């Protein structure tokens, strides 16, 4: 049985940083850190951040009932889709007949996917990937949406040359004792991402609950703690600022809340190299009294 859906609209801001690492490589640019070519500001895609959140949920819940992950590594989407058909005691060949007999079959399939997969409940999913003509779990618009993260200041991407003593082939080993390689890093950058949670979509579509919401905050705070690698360097979430509206449809436009949070370099800092080189200012007088602001870290 699904828990009751959230009743309040939320917006949130995530501040995270990277030190000597590549937070999100661009495959169209030799895996260099993503960058806005007009301004030089660094970018991290929403897809990248959602992947970190999914990975954390998968680690913590370990496929507990209702907390499976739909978009996961090495698991075809259709394999997950087939669970809904098995639940309805039919297969992809018999679904057309089922839909003729039961006009609510599409809704039941969608609701099954929302109940059992956390990331569908949160982010939604396009489940219309066909293996056969009838294999279709529909499309769900999720209540939790993230924008691209953008660095507070322009970034400088550095290409670092490295050497290794492990030679790839026997033939190469006859001629050399080391091999050269390269990796791209950002010496330091602080990124800001903004997100939205619609209580209206949670109630009408996916059933995203208060339990799910608390797990989302936990996942955001810890999304880099179990994702360390040599390529990504040192990454950490520094702030999670949450705005809770008093009602389902909200009390004010989201931009007013986002504009109330300002991040800037401290006076005299030319080249930021740590989080303490920045100052965070929250203009609480710009936040409506009916909106509750909290800092989760």
């Amino acid at each position: 049985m699904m828990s009751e859906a959230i009743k309040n609209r939320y917006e949130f801001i995530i501040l995270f940083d990277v030190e000597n690492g590549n937070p999100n490589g661009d495959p169209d640019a030799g895996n260099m850190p993503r960058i806005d070519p007009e301004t030089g500001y660094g970018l991290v895609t929403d897809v990248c951040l959602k992947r970190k959140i999914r990975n954390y949920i998968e680690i913590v819940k370990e496929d507990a009932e209702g907390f499976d992950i739909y978009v996961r590594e090495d698991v075809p989407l259709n394999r997950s889709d087939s669970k809904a058909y098995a639940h309805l005691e039919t297969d992809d060949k018999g679904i057309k007949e089922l839909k003729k007999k039961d006009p609510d079959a599409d809704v039941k399939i969608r609701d099954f996917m929302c109940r059992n997969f956390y990331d569908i409940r949160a982010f939604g999913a396009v489940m219309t990937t066909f293996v056969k003509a009838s294999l279709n779990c529909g499309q769900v618009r999720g209540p939790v949406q993230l924008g691209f993260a953008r660095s507070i200041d322009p970034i400088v991407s550095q290409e670092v040359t490295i050497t290794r003593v492990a030679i790839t082939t026997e033939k190469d080993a006859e001629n050399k004792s080391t091999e050269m390689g390269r990796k791209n890093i950002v010496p330091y950058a602080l990124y800001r991402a903004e997100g939205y949670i619609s209580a209206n979509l949670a109630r009408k579509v996916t059933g995203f609950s208060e339990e799910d919401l608390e797990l989302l905050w936990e996942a955001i705070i810890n999304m880099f703690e179990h994702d360390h690698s040599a390529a990504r360097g040192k990454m950490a979430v520094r702030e999670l600022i949450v705005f809770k509206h008093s009602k389902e449809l909200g009390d004010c436009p989201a931009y007013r809340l986002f504009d109330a949070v300002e991040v800037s370099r401290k006076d005299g800092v030319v080249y930021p190299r740590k989080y303490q080189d920045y100052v965070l200012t929250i203009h609480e007088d710009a936040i409506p009294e009916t909106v509750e602001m909290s800092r989760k870290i």
Side-chain angles (χ1 to χ4, degrees):
M1 183 177 178
M2 293 178 65
S3 302
E4 190 175 2
I6 58 172
K7 298 181 182 299
N8 306 83
R9 196 183 99 187
Y10 292 85
E11 273 86 43
F12 58 94
I13 297 171
I14 310 168
L15 295 179
F16 64 91
D17 60 1
V18 58
E19 181 180 329
N20 295 327
N22 185 352
N24 187 201
D26 186 349
D28 290 329
N31 207 43
M32 293 177 62
R34 294 182 188 273
I35 193 170
D36 178 349
E38 290 187 336
T39 65
Y41 287 94
L43 300 173
V44 174
T45 66
D46 60 318
V47 175
C48 175
L49 298 177
K50 288 177 182 178
R51 179 75 269 152
K52 313 301 182 192
I53 294 171
R54 287 184 170 103
N55 289 346
Y56 181 81
I57 302 297
E58 191 172 358
I59 290 171
V60 170
K61 290 299 184 179
E62 294 187 346
D63 297 328
E65 184 178 356
F67 294 93
D68 203 350
I69 296 298
Y70 183 66
V71 181
R72 61 198 301 182
E73 188 176 359
D74 298 328
V75 179
L77 297 179
N78 290 131
R79 187 184 301 172
S80 298
D81 294 337
S82 64
K83 294 181 180 180
Y85 295 93
H87 173 71
L88 294 176
E89 298 181 346
T90 187
D91 56 20
D92 61 308
K93 293 180 181 180
I95 194 62
K96 287 185 176 179
E97 292 300 319
L98 177 65
K99 289 179 180 179
K100 289 179 182 178
K101 297 176 182 178
D102 184 357
D104 294 326
D106 286 332
V107 175
K108 290 178 180 178
I109 292 171
R110 184 200 71 186
D111 289 348
F112 174 86
M113 299 301 285
C114 289
R115 279 197 310 274
N116 287 274
F117 293 91
Y118 178 88
D119 55 339
I120 295 178
R121 260 193 330 275
F123 306 128
V126 177
M127 299 173 286
T128 55
T129 53
F130 295 100
V131 173
K132 297 180 181 179
S134 57
L135 188 57
N136 183 346
C137 290
Q139 182 171 333
V140 174
R141 183 182 171 195
V144 181
Q145 299 299 330
L146 279 165
F148 277 31
R150 182 172 177 266
S151 63
I152 302 300
D153 288 307
I155 66 171
V156 176
S157 176
Q158 294 183 359
E159 189 175 61
V160 179
T161 302
I162 58 176
T163 60
R164 67 175 185 176
V165 296
I167 307 303
T168 304
T169 66
E170 292 286 350
K171 184 177 180 180
D172 288 340
E174 295 174 1
N175 302 315
K176 56 185 178 180
S177 59
T178 61
E179 286 187 336
M180 307 292 286
R182 290 182 174 84
K183 65 190 301 184
N184 297 291
I185 67 167
V186 177
Y188 182 82
L190 179 64
Y191 289 81
R192 170 175 171 156
E194 297 168 351
Y196 314 81
I197 304 178
S198 168
N200 187 258
L201 284 175
R203 175 176 60 84
K204 288 184 175 180
V205 183
T206 73
F208 188 78
S209 67
E210 292 291 342
E211 180 186 2
D212 294 330
L213 182 66
E214 291 305 314
L215 184 58
L216 176 67
W217 302 146
E218 179 186 333
I220 290 173
I221 291 169
N222 295 286
M223 63 181 172
F224 299 120
E225 297 305 312
H226 303 280
D227 189 61
H228 296 296
S229 74
R232 280 185 281 278
K234 181 180 177 182
M235 296 188 68
V237 175
R238 296 292 189 164
E239 286 279 352
L240 174 56
I241 302 170
V242 176
F243 299 99
K244 179 181 180 181
H245 295 256
S246 65
K247 51 192 177 184
E248 182 180 284
L249 297 180
D251 301 294
C252 68
Y255 75 84
R256 284 186 57 188
L257 304 175
F258 294 146
D259 288 349
V261 178
E262 182 182 353
V263 183
S264 58
R265 275 179 288 168
K266 289 182 177 178
D267 292 340
V269 175
V270 179
Y271 302 110
R273 286 295 183 269
K274 59 183 183 296
Y275 181 67
Q276 290 73 21
D277 287 337
Y278 288 93
V279 58
L280 171 67
T281 305
I282 301 176
H283 302 283
E284 296 191 23
D285 57 336
I287 302 173
E289 292 183 0
T290 52
V291 176
E292 178 185 338
M293 188 273 295
S294 61
R295 297 170 70 173
K296 297 293 185 180
I297 299 179

